[in-house]
Amino acid sequence: MSTTTPSLEAAKGRSELPQVYNNYIGGRWVKAKNGETFPSTSPANVNEVVGHFASSGPEDVKAAVDAAAKAFPAWKHTPAPARADIILKAAYILETRKEEIARTMVREMGKVIKEARGDVQEAIDMAKYMAGEGRRLFGHTCPSEMPDKFAMAIRQPLGVVGLITPWNFPVAIPSWKMFPALVAGNTVVFKPATDTPLCALMLVEVMIEAGLPAGVLNFVTGAGSKVGNAIVDDPRVRAISVTGSTEVGRKIAGRCGELMKRISCELGGKNAVCVMDDADMDLVIEGAVWGAFGTAGQRCTAASRVIVHKSRYKEFLDKFVARTKALKLGNGLDPVNEVGPVINKEQLKSINEYVEIGLKEGAKLMCGGKIVEDGELGKGCFHEPTIFADVKADMRIAQEEIFGPVTAVIPVESFEEMLEVANGTQFGLSLSMYTRDINRAFKAMDELESGIVYINAPTIGAEIQLPFGGIKQTGNGHREAGITAIEQFTEWKAIYVDYSGKLQKAQIDNHPANSAE
Ligand code: NAD
């Protein structure tokens, strides 16, 4: 198996700027078979082209699955600790390239530089954690009911797996899927979001440099409807792991259901920070601002609702609005800026439509609400951080994922009502409660209906060593990260070894009454 490591230069089809980048299939950088490309542009200035990428089709996916299927037997039989060594090496390479990748991420995705560094750091953390899994991949042994019989269950890789990722964490989210998939012995076809192919390509490049054999990781860029669909439909792809919108996840999960294919979905959210009457208000304000406007509200865990006890409502609103108005909006490469652009013009329009919806529904606009159209920022996709007050729990802006810097503040009368409102959406990803009352804190941990709960911290800030994912329409029962990440990418095999030298019939021989005439 080849372990040559083509450099990033080899990914480029020609040398003049902006660069053209190719797919990576079977250990080679190759153009889309149709020869077509699409541009990736910077959300801070849509006239700036970051690169051109292969606009692939089903025929490229077929080639990628061919390569992944061919590479699977050897990769499966590579000892897991040796697979893990490559992932650990990737962690070290990511560390040395962290600043370069983070700066590319700011250009291509828009998040501010310190968050971009955090995104790469998350991939480093995941690589180190999953490298340790190479010497675990724990199975079970258990007693047999029969004498001289051994019983155990081991994990095995699935085969070829398809990874479909969004643009909001363009390095971290692919790493959450890729590292556990690879350490478990699967081979991969990876399709990143069309808004962030360069970040994804840099991650692939790191894996090649780390020594991943040809065909083990294959990278195909292009539209979800062409590339994503073709990955899902290929019968040799044994599992799909997708992070994206609930709409897309539902479609893919439906198709996987028909094909009897394993599917793990990480989808939308409508997360809330809950503020009880005894909360530390300064802590709340910092947390709510970070939760609502970090990554310009484009986190699946963003605090797009803040539910506040009426006794602290005015105090909260005054401070929250003042702090939000002071946020610095601008290009994420300038470290003074706190909020960057949103991903593209289409998303910008969709966010602003929600502002119109909120106004029509009778919510009170406290600040923001506009697309920035003038000056340097007017060249990009900047939306003012926006707060709606006096929001009712059933309004669309309190129910639907907006995925931008817009949050809805909802007043409530009691702790019980707070829980009811917090739980009253179709989503269940991340909920947080600010209170100094230990009894209420534990009640909240128990009653909040979400995959992630924070006490005295905002809805964002997950660490990679705990399970990550949501309930209800956010997910379909799987969890990424932590020890649970391996579950998605392994199949259990139960094994019985009978060393008694005779036929032993379980449930019969050791129950004499069962054999009675
Ligand atoms: P999206 O649903 O538009 O796209 C996600 C991925 O699916 C992309 O790679 C896209 O090309 C692909 N895709 C689209 N249609 C497809 C199809 N028919 N078949 C196969 N693949 C297809 O999402 P996005 O705009 O990239 O990301 C934002 C969404 O992701 C938000 O809803 C956000 O909440 C969600 N998200 C969830 C989590 C989580 O862990 N729960 C984390 C981050 C983002």
Side-chain angles (χ1 to χ4, degrees):
M1 208 178 282
S2 163
T3 53
T4 51
T5 58
S7 73
L8 186 59
E9 291 304 307
K12 301 167 186 168
R14 58 171 198 256
S15 59
E16 69 268 25
L17 291 172
Q19 299 289 353
V20 178
Y21 297 92
N22 295 328
N23 290 329
Y24 185 70
I25 296 175
R28 291 175 49 237
W29 294 102
V30 290
K31 289 185 189 344
K33 288 199 197 305
N34 61 19
E36 290 171 15
T37 62
F38 67 93
S40 171
T41 56
S42 175
N45 177 352
V46 294
N47 301 319
E48 182 189 337
V49 176
V50 174
H52 294 279
F53 294 82
S55 185
S56 314
E59 56 288 355
D60 302 296
V61 171
K62 184 184 172 302
V65 181
D66 286 347
K70 190 166 163 230
F72 175 64
W75 186 241
K76 176 187 168 181
H77 291 112
T78 301
R83 298 194 296 251
D85 282 347
I86 295 174
I87 291 165
L88 188 59
K89 186 143 181 240
Y92 298 140
I93 297 167
L94 280 167
E95 279 174 342
T96 61
R97 293 186 63 183
K98 181 172 170 180
E99 190 62 16
E100 175 206 352
I101 298 174
R103 296 186 81 79
T104 301
M105 190 183 298
V106 177
R107 277 184 72 211
E108 191 177 45
M109 183 274 162
K111 64 175 69 176
V112 298
I113 185 68
K114 69 177 178 193
E115 292 185 30
R117 290 182 189 125
D119 194 310
V120 182
Q121 186 58 47
E122 206 163 299
I124 295 167
D125 296 345
M126 187 59 89
K128 289 180 178 172
Y129 186 86
M130 282 301 151
E133 203 54 46
R135 287 184 187 271
R136 287 189 296 266
L137 285 176
F138 291 137
H140 306 311
T141 61
C142 53
S144 164
E145 66 182 54
M146 312 304 283
D148 297 333
K149 188 175 170 191
F150 190 84
M152 63 183 161
I154 62 166
R155 291 176 184 278
Q156 293 214 297
L158 306 173
V160 180
V161 298
L163 311 182
I164 300 175
T165 57
W167 45 264
N168 66 334
F169 278 82
V171 171
I173 290 180
S175 82
W176 294 358
K177 300 180 190 299
M178 187 184 296
F179 297 156
L182 292 175
V183 79
N186 302 282
T187 54
V188 168
V189 177
F190 167 36
K191 188 213 102 59
T194 46
D195 285 297
T196 51
L198 186 53
C199 294
L201 184 140
M202 289 174 105
L203 179 62
V204 171
E205 221 265 336
V206 165
M207 298 311 292
I208 298 166
E209 198 183 330
L212 209 60
V216 171
L217 172 63
N218 303 277
F219 171 71
V220 187
T221 55
S225 55
K226 292 183 185 154
V227 177
N229 260 344
I231 297 173
V232 172
D233 278 351
D234 193 304
R236 295 166 298 167
V237 175
R238 300 285 304 279
I240 299 291
S241 176
V242 59
T243 298
S245 58
T246 296
E247 186 194 347
V248 165
R250 188 178 286 128
K251 227 185 265 175
I252 296 176
R255 183 69 183 132
C256 287
E258 283 170 35
L259 298 169
M260 294 289 282
K261 188 172 290 199
R262 185 183 289 206
I263 164 79
S264 61
C265 294
E266 291 295 342
L267 310 173
K270 192 68 188 176
N271 317 288
V273 165
C274 299
V275 184
M276 266 311 290
D277 50 1
D278 62 343
D280 174 341
M281 195 50 81
D282 290 337
L283 191 64
V284 167
I285 298 303
E286 287 310 302
V289 168
W290 173 229
F293 304 118
T295 327
Q298 303 169 108
R299 291 193 182 212
C300 48
T301 51
S304 53
R305 298 179 296 157
V306 188
I307 307 169
V308 187
H309 193 275
K310 65 167 188 188
S311 65
R312 308 291 297 278
Y313 188 64
K314 184 172 178 326
E315 177 194 1
F316 169 78
L317 266 184
D318 290 348
K319 289 185 173 171
F320 187 42
V321 171
R323 178 72 186 81
T324 300
K325 280 182 173 166
L327 285 171
K328 287 201 170 56
L329 192 63
N331 189 317
L333 284 173
D334 184 340
V336 301
N337 292 325
E338 296 164 283
V339 181
V342 300
I343 190 68
N344 55 38
K345 290 280 181 192
E346 205 185 348
Q347 184 62 14
L348 187 63
K349 189 164 162 267
S350 155
I351 292 164
N352 203 249
E353 278 167 9
Y354 271 104
V355 174
E356 293 301 315
I357 290 167
L359 289 169
K360 278 200 194 111
E361 287 180 308
K364 194 165 158 197
L365 184 64
M366 303 299 292
C367 64
K370 292 200 197 72
I371 291 173
V372 183
E373 280 167 349
D374 303 326
E376 263 312 291
L377 300 197
K379 295 179 187 163
C381 309
F382 290 89
H383 196 283
E384 292 173 349
T386 300
I387 298 173
F388 276 109
D390 298 353
V391 176
K392 300 214 165 38
D394 59 355
M395 287 179 178
R396 284 184 63 192
I397 56 166
Q399 289 290 327
E400 296 172 21
E401 186 180 51
I402 299 173
F403 224 56
V406 178
T407 197
V409 185
I410 307 170
V412 292
E413 307 264 337
S414 65
F415 179 68
E416 290 69 28
E417 190 190 353
M418 189 171 282
L419 293 180
E420 191 184 323
V421 171
N423 291 338
T425 76
Q426 61 171 323
F427 300 107
L429 184 54
S430 181
L431 293 169
S432 106
M433 173 70 67
Y434 282 81
T435 179
R436 285 186 270 209
D437 178 331
I438 186 90
N439 293 347
R440 277 196 190 130
F442 269 86
K443 189 79 180 150
M445 288 181 233
D446 191 28
E447 297 291 335
L448 289 172
E449 294 171 1
S450 55
I452 308 166
V453 167
Y454 292 91
I455 302 295
N456 294 328
T459 51
I460 67 179
E463 300 178 30
I464 64 92
Q465 63 275 24
L466 281 183
F468 183 96
I471 63 172
K472 301 199 273 189
Q473 301 284 305
T474 296
N476 62 343
H478 295 267
R479 291 291 184 276
E480 298 197 315
I483 50 166
T484 43
I486 286 296
E487 294 295 337
Q488 303 177 51
F489 297 111
T490 52
E491 199 75 77
W492 282 107
K493 182 178 274 181
I495 301 174
Y496 302 92
V497 183
D498 193 322
Y499 54 97
S500 68
K502 60 183 184 213
L503 174 64
Q504 301 196 86
K505 300 192 227 57
Q507 297 93 36
I508 296 174
D509 290 357
N510 51 351
H511 296 279
N514 290 351
S515 303
E517 293 297 313

